[in-house]
Amino acid sequence: MSYKIAIDGPAGAGKSTVAKIISKELGYVYIDTGAMYRAFGLFLVNNNIDVNNEEEISKVVDKVNISIKFVQNEQHIYLNGEDVTDMIRTPIISEAASSCSVHACVRTKLVSMQQELARSTSVVMDGRDIGSVVLPDANLKIFLTASVEVRAKRRIKDYEEKGIKKNLDEVMKEIEERDYRDTHRDNSPLTQVKDAILIDSSNMNIDEVVDKIISLADGGSSR
Ligand code: DC
């Protein structure tokens, strides 16, 4: 029997960091669905296609081939055969991913890929619509959030590690805009589903969040 953990929440809440650790501890596969929207956004940017033009995007959907390989439980993402794992974590691609993810043609393609990846294996999957659309029958659903300021500070740290310098106001604005778009789109907006457990990580460190989720999974006999 496979066990599925869905972690949804806004940008910078720490979803991927905790999901990675939890998947290692439980021996599950970790699937970062945001990386797929980012790879799609990268395709559009590389090919000068307007991320807001659904008609143009629908014409190229079939040309976008996204695949995932796991190297020592690390997810590598491939766009038309090229490993783009290190190219998708820039502010431009964050923006492109969030913008193109509003279109139904993009979501339909990526959601069915995600469901297929999780079909016969235990997974920890993070994103925005995992508990609501991708894995509505997940055994454990978490809605992980934190204040905008805390999330912005975490993002600045990530950027610094990549040599990108940004100030707090700028990143808070970036996050607020992304939150607005992710929660107000017509197609599968980010929302806390009824059966998801809310964790606000504003005053928690990573270990505390991981322990909390693992104890919830243990309660549901995940191993
Ligand atoms: O989790 P992330 O920051 O890497 O995601 C990038 C964007 O992709 C996010 O702003 C919205 C979109 N996304 C989505 O619409 N649905 C998902 N399941 C995951 C991400």
Side-chain angles (χ1 to χ4, degrees):
M1 260 281 285
S2 62
Y3 192 93
K4 305 199 194 304
I5 302 178
I7 305 180
D8 289 301
K15 299 184 298 292
S16 58
T17 308
V18 299
K20 256 185 221 166
I21 300 171
I22 291 165
S23 65
K24 248 186 212 143
E25 290 208 8
L26 297 177
Y28 294 1
V29 171
Y30 165 53
I31 300 170
D32 169 5
T33 62
M36 299 180 188
Y37 290 92
R38 287 171 179 274
F40 203 106
L42 179 67
F43 176 88
L44 299 178
V45 170
N46 284 350
N47 289 280
N48 291 317
I49 297 165
D50 179 359
V51 292
N52 300 308
N53 188 334
E54 183 161 20
E55 206 186 318
E56 284 304 304
I57 295 174
S58 67
K59 287 185 202 152
V60 299
V61 163
D62 291 340
K63 293 191 185 136
V64 187
N65 187 359
I66 293 170
S67 57
I68 278 180
K69 276 188 202 154
F70 298 95
V71 184
Q72 288 161 349
N73 205 31
E74 285 283 317
Q75 175 180 294
H76 280 244
I77 187 124
Y78 292 78
L79 171 62
N80 293 337
E82 183 188 2
D83 186 345
V84 295
T85 314
D86 295 331
M87 293 175 211
I88 55 171
R89 305 280 160 199
T90 65
I92 289 173
I93 300 304
S94 298
E95 177 66 26
S98 173
S99 297
C100 76
S101 72
V102 307
H103 306 306
C105 63
V106 177
R107 303 204 71 82
T108 305
K109 180 183 175 108
L110 298 188
V111 166
S112 67
M113 256 187 80
Q114 291 154 11
Q115 288 173 330
E116 186 52 34
L117 283 167
R119 203 166 50 84
S120 52
T121 182
S122 291
V123 294
V124 182
M125 194 181 272
D126 78 344
R128 305 290 188 287
D129 59 342
I130 310 306
S132 58
V133 178
V134 182
L135 304 175
D137 298 326
N139 305 80
L140 175 63
K141 297 181 186 179
I142 303 291
F143 191 83
L144 183 61
T145 189
S147 71
V148 173
E149 187 173 340
V150 166
R151 290 188 282 132
K153 284 180 177 159
R154 290 177 187 160
R155 247 317 113 87
I156 288 173
K157 250 179 141 185
D158 292 344
Y159 282 150
E160 274 169 3
E161 280 162 21
K162 293 186 184 71
I164 302 170
K165 272 212 160 353
K166 289 205 170 225
N167 66 41
L168 185 61
D169 284 350
E170 203 179 354
V171 178
M172 279 178 69
K173 193 162 165 268
E174 213 174 271
I175 285 187
E176 275 165 349
E177 280 170 10
R178 203 133 78 85
D179 282 357
Y180 186 86
R181 202 177 311 114
D182 293 349
T183 52
H184 286 79
R185 65 184 180 217
D186 292 338
N187 296 308
S188 322
L190 170 65
T191 175
Q192 183 189 343
V193 287
K194 269 207 316 283
D195 50 345
I197 295 164
L198 175 70
I199 300 179
D200 183 334
S201 71
S202 302
N203 297 308
M204 292 168 86
N205 63 33
I206 290 163
D207 289 345
E208 288 168 332
V209 178
V210 167
D211 288 350
K212 169 96 188 152
I213 297 176
I214 288 187
S215 71
L216 289 166
D218 275 345
S221 63
S222 59
R223 52 185 164 182

